[in-house]
PDB file of all heavy atoms in Angstrom:
ATOM      1  N   ARG A  57       9.360   2.974   5.978  1.00 95.00           N
ATOM      2  CA  ARG A  57       9.655   1.889   6.922  1.00 95.00           C
ATOM      3  C   ARG A  57       8.385   1.692   7.727  1.00 95.00           C
ATOM      4  O   ARG A  57       7.853   2.645   8.310  1.00 95.00           O
ATOM      5  CB  ARG A  57      10.805   2.301   7.820  1.00 95.00           C
ATOM      6  CG  ARG A  57      11.312   1.267   8.774  1.00 95.00           C
ATOM      7  CD  ARG A  57      12.393   0.385   8.207  1.00 95.00           C
ATOM      8  NE  ARG A  57      13.513   1.115   7.672  1.00 95.00           N
ATOM      9  CZ  ARG A  57      14.763   1.026   8.096  1.00 95.00           C
ATOM     10  NH1 ARG A  57      15.052   0.214   9.075  1.00 95.00           N
ATOM     11  NH2 ARG A  57      15.725   1.713   7.522  1.00 95.00           N
ATOM     12  N   ILE A  58       7.873   0.466   7.766  1.00 96.00           N
ATOM     13  CA  ILE A  58       6.574   0.191   8.375  1.00 96.00           C
ATOM     14  C   ILE A  58       6.703  -0.792   9.527  1.00 96.00           C
ATOM     15  O   ILE A  58       7.347  -1.833   9.395  1.00 96.00           O
ATOM     16  CB  ILE A  58       5.589  -0.381   7.328  1.00 96.00           C
ATOM     17  CG1 ILE A  58       5.434   0.596   6.166  1.00 96.00           C
ATOM     18  CG2 ILE A  58       4.240  -0.705   7.968  1.00 96.00           C
ATOM     19  CD1 ILE A  58       4.688   0.025   4.978  1.00 96.00           C
ATOM     20  N   GLU A  59       6.072  -0.453  10.626  1.00 95.00           N
ATOM     21  CA  GLU A  59       5.944  -1.351  11.775  1.00 95.00           C
ATOM     22  C   GLU A  59       4.490  -1.799  11.811  1.00 95.00           C
ATOM     23  O   GLU A  59       3.578  -0.963  11.765  1.00 95.00           O
ATOM     24  CB  GLU A  59       6.308  -0.618  13.071  1.00 95.00           C
ATOM     25  CG  GLU A  59       6.219  -1.450  14.314  1.00 95.00           C
ATOM     26  CD  GLU A  59       7.258  -2.552  14.387  1.00 95.00           C
ATOM     27  OE1 GLU A  59       8.343  -2.429  13.784  1.00 95.00           O
ATOM     28  OE2 GLU A  59       6.983  -3.559  15.059  1.00 95.00           O
ATOM     29  N   CYS A  60       4.241  -3.106  11.834  1.00 95.00           N
ATOM     30  CA  CYS A  60       2.887  -3.654  11.822  1.00 95.00           C
ATOM     31  C   CYS A  60       2.502  -4.174  13.207  1.00 95.00           C
ATOM     32  O   CYS A  60       3.304  -4.832  13.865  1.00 95.00           O
ATOM     33  CB  CYS A  60       2.797  -4.807  10.834  1.00 95.00           C
ATOM     34  SG  CYS A  60       3.172  -4.347   9.127  1.00 95.00           S
ATOM     35  N   LYS A  61       1.281  -3.889  13.612  1.00 95.00           N
ATOM     36  CA  LYS A  61       0.745  -4.379  14.879  1.00 95.00           C
ATOM     37  C   LYS A  61      -0.645  -4.948  14.617  1.00 95.00           C
ATOM     38  O   LYS A  61      -1.392  -4.427  13.779  1.00 95.00           O
ATOM     39  CB  LYS A  61       0.631  -3.253  15.919  1.00 95.00           C
ATOM     40  CG  LYS A  61       1.951  -2.606  16.272  1.00 95.00           C
ATOM     41  CD  LYS A  61       2.853  -3.565  17.010  1.00 95.00           C
ATOM     42  CE  LYS A  61       4.173  -2.911  17.390  1.00 95.00           C
ATOM     43  NZ  LYS A  61       5.113  -3.851  17.974  1.00 95.00           N
ATOM     44  N   THR A  62      -0.994  -6.016  15.338  1.00 95.00           N
ATOM     45  CA  THR A  62      -2.291  -6.659  15.199  1.00 95.00           C
ATOM     46  C   THR A  62      -2.900  -6.835  16.586  1.00 95.00           C
ATOM     47  O   THR A  62      -2.197  -7.217  17.517  1.00 95.00           O
ATOM     48  CB  THR A  62      -2.136  -8.047  14.543  1.00 95.00           C
ATOM     49  OG1 THR A  62      -1.480  -7.903  13.295  1.00 95.00           O
ATOM     50  CG2 THR A  62      -3.483  -8.699  14.315  1.00 95.00           C
ATOM     51  N   THR A  63      -4.212  -6.570  16.698  1.00 95.00           N
ATOM     52  CA  THR A  63      -4.886  -6.758  17.976  1.00 95.00           C
ATOM     53  C   THR A  63      -6.326  -7.213  17.762  1.00 95.00           C
ATOM     54  O   THR A  63      -6.959  -6.837  16.778  1.00 95.00           O
ATOM     55  CB  THR A  63      -4.870  -5.468  18.830  1.00 95.00           C
ATOM     56  OG1 THR A  63      -5.454  -5.746  20.102  1.00 95.00           O
ATOM     57  CG2 THR A  63      -5.613  -4.322  18.164  1.00 95.00           C
ATOM     58  N   LYS A  64      -6.814  -8.021  18.693  1.00 94.00           N
ATOM     59  CA  LYS A  64      -8.233  -8.402  18.667  1.00 94.00           C
ATOM     60  C   LYS A  64      -9.026  -7.548  19.646  1.00 94.00           C
ATOM     61  O   LYS A  64     -10.225  -7.687  19.774  1.00 94.00           O
ATOM     62  CB  LYS A  64      -8.417  -9.889  18.964  1.00 94.00           C
ATOM     63  CG  LYS A  64      -8.060 -10.294  20.355  1.00 94.00           C
ATOM     64  CD  LYS A  64      -8.352 -11.759  20.575  1.00 94.00           C
ATOM     65  CE  LYS A  64      -8.045 -12.098  22.019  1.00 94.00           C
ATOM     66  NZ  LYS A  64      -9.132 -12.668  22.725  1.00 94.00           N
ATOM     67  N   ASN A  65      -8.332  -6.640  20.331  1.00 95.00           N
ATOM     68  CA  ASN A  65      -8.989  -5.742  21.275  1.00 95.00           C
ATOM     69  C   ASN A  65      -9.697  -4.604  20.540  1.00 95.00           C
ATOM     70  O   ASN A  65      -9.427  -4.344  19.372  1.00 95.00           O
ATOM     71  CB  ASN A  65      -7.965  -5.179  22.261  1.00 95.00           C
ATOM     72  CG  ASN A  65      -7.340  -6.264  23.102  1.00 95.00           C
ATOM     73  OD1 ASN A  65      -8.007  -7.198  23.520  1.00 95.00           O
ATOM     74  ND2 ASN A  65      -6.044  -6.157  23.329  1.00 95.00           N
ATOM     75  N   LYS A  66     -10.575  -3.921  21.252  1.00 95.00           N
ATOM     76  CA  LYS A  66     -11.309  -2.791  20.671  1.00 95.00           C
ATOM     77  C   LYS A  66     -10.464  -1.525  20.620  1.00 95.00           C
ATOM     78  O   LYS A  66     -10.842  -0.550  19.989  1.00 95.00           O
ATOM     79  CB  LYS A  66     -12.579  -2.515  21.485  1.00 95.00           C
ATOM     80  CG  LYS A  66     -13.524  -3.672  21.525  1.00 95.00           C
ATOM     81  CD  LYS A  66     -14.539  -3.542  20.453  1.00 95.00           C
ATOM     82  CE  LYS A  66     -15.533  -4.696  20.568  1.00 95.00           C
ATOM     83  NZ  LYS A  66     -16.022  -5.109  19.305  1.00 95.00           N
ATOM     84  N   SER A  67      -9.306  -1.549  21.302  1.00 96.00           N
ATOM     85  CA  SER A  67      -8.425  -0.383  21.287  1.00 96.00           C
ATOM     86  C   SER A  67      -6.975  -0.846  21.269  1.00 96.00           C
ATOM     87  O   SER A  67      -6.677  -2.000  21.590  1.00 96.00           O
ATOM     88  CB  SER A  67      -8.678   0.503  22.515  1.00 96.00           C
ATOM     89  OG  SER A  67      -8.345  -0.193  23.699  1.00 96.00           O
ATOM     90  N   PHE A  68      -6.107   0.072  20.886  1.00 96.00           N
ATOM     91  CA  PHE A  68      -4.673  -0.210  20.831  1.00 96.00           C
ATOM     92  C   PHE A  68      -3.944   1.061  21.244  1.00 96.00           C
ATOM     93  O   PHE A  68      -4.219   2.131  20.693  1.00 96.00           O
ATOM     94  CB  PHE A  68      -4.262  -0.613  19.411  1.00 96.00           C
ATOM     95  CG  PHE A  68      -2.805  -0.950  19.292  1.00 96.00           C
ATOM     96  CD1 PHE A  68      -2.349  -2.233  19.547  1.00 96.00           C
ATOM     97  CD2 PHE A  68      -1.888   0.021  18.924  1.00 96.00           C
ATOM     98  CE1 PHE A  68      -1.009  -2.548  19.439  1.00 96.00           C
ATOM     99  CE2 PHE A  68      -0.540  -0.282  18.817  1.00 96.00           C
ATOM    100  CZ  PHE A  68      -0.100  -1.570  19.071  1.00 96.00           C
ATOM    101  N   SER A  69      -3.033   0.952  22.184  1.00 97.00           N
ATOM    102  CA  SER A  69      -2.285   2.122  22.652  1.00 97.00           C
ATOM    103  C   SER A  69      -1.022   2.307  21.829  1.00 97.00           C
ATOM    104  O   SER A  69      -0.196   1.396  21.739  1.00 97.00           O
ATOM    105  CB  SER A  69      -1.899   1.961  24.125  1.00 97.00           C
ATOM    106  OG  SER A  69      -3.046   1.965  24.930  1.00 97.00           O
ATOM    107  N   VAL A  70      -0.905   3.476  21.240  1.00 96.00           N
ATOM    108  CA  VAL A  70       0.310   3.842  20.517  1.00 96.00           C
ATOM    109  C   VAL A  70       1.178   4.596  21.509  1.00 96.00           C
ATOM    110  O   VAL A  70       0.768   5.621  22.048  1.00 96.00           O
ATOM    111  CB  VAL A  70      -0.010   4.727  19.295  1.00 96.00           C
ATOM    112  CG1 VAL A  70       1.265   5.169  18.608  1.00 96.00           C
ATOM    113  CG2 VAL A  70      -0.924   3.974  18.331  1.00 96.00           C
ATOM    114  N   THR A  71       2.383   4.083  21.741  1.00 96.00           N
ATOM    115  CA  THR A  71       3.259   4.714  22.715  1.00 96.00           C
ATOM    116  C   THR A  71       4.306   5.582  22.028  1.00 96.00           C
ATOM    117  O   THR A  71       4.640   5.365  20.857  1.00 96.00           O
ATOM    118  CB  THR A  71       3.978   3.663  23.582  1.00 96.00           C
ATOM    119  OG1 THR A  71       4.862   2.901  22.750  1.00 96.00           O
ATOM    120  CG2 THR A  71       2.977   2.741  24.273  1.00 96.00           C
ATOM    121  N   LEU A  72       4.807   6.538  22.767  1.00 95.00           N
ATOM    122  CA  LEU A  72       5.866   7.400  22.263  1.00 95.00           C
ATOM    123  C   LEU A  72       7.094   6.569  21.907  1.00 95.00           C
ATOM    124  O   LEU A  72       7.735   6.796  20.863  1.00 95.00           O
ATOM    125  CB  LEU A  72       6.210   8.468  23.301  1.00 95.00           C
ATOM    126  CG  LEU A  72       7.213   9.539  22.890  1.00 95.00           C
ATOM    127  CD1 LEU A  72       6.726  10.290  21.661  1.00 95.00           C
ATOM    128  CD2 LEU A  72       7.449  10.500  24.048  1.00 95.00           C
ATOM    129  N   ASP A  73       7.405   5.576  22.734  1.00 94.00           N
ATOM    130  CA  ASP A  73       8.550   4.697  22.476  1.00 94.00           C
ATOM    131  C   ASP A  73       8.394   3.968  21.143  1.00 94.00           C
ATOM    132  O   ASP A  73       9.339   3.862  20.359  1.00 94.00           O
ATOM    133  CB  ASP A  73       8.698   3.697  23.629  1.00 94.00           C
ATOM    134  CG  ASP A  73       9.908   2.800  23.468  1.00 94.00           C
ATOM    135  OD1 ASP A  73      11.016   3.337  23.259  1.00 94.00           O
ATOM    136  OD2 ASP A  73       9.745   1.572  23.540  1.00 94.00           O
ATOM    137  N   MET A  74       7.202   3.472  20.866  1.00 92.00           N
ATOM    138  CA  MET A  74       6.909   2.772  19.621  1.00 92.00           C
ATOM    139  C   MET A  74       7.160   3.687  18.414  1.00 92.00           C
ATOM    140  O   MET A  74       7.799   3.286  17.435  1.00 92.00           O
ATOM    141  CB  MET A  74       5.421   2.383  19.662  1.00 92.00           C
ATOM    142  CG  MET A  74       5.025   1.171  18.915  1.00 92.00           C
ATOM    143  SD  MET A  74       3.233   0.927  19.051  1.00 92.00           S
ATOM    144  CE  MET A  74       3.078   0.350  20.734  1.00 92.00           C
TER     145      MET A  74
END
Side-chain angles (χ1 to χ4, degrees):
R57 185 89 54 119
I58 302 170
E59 180 68 26
C60 299
K61 299 293 181 186
T62 304
T63 184
K64 67 177 183 124
N65 297 321
K66 300 266 183 213
S67 64
F68 181 87
S69 294
V70 176
T71 66
L72 185 58
D73 183 52
M74 209 182 286

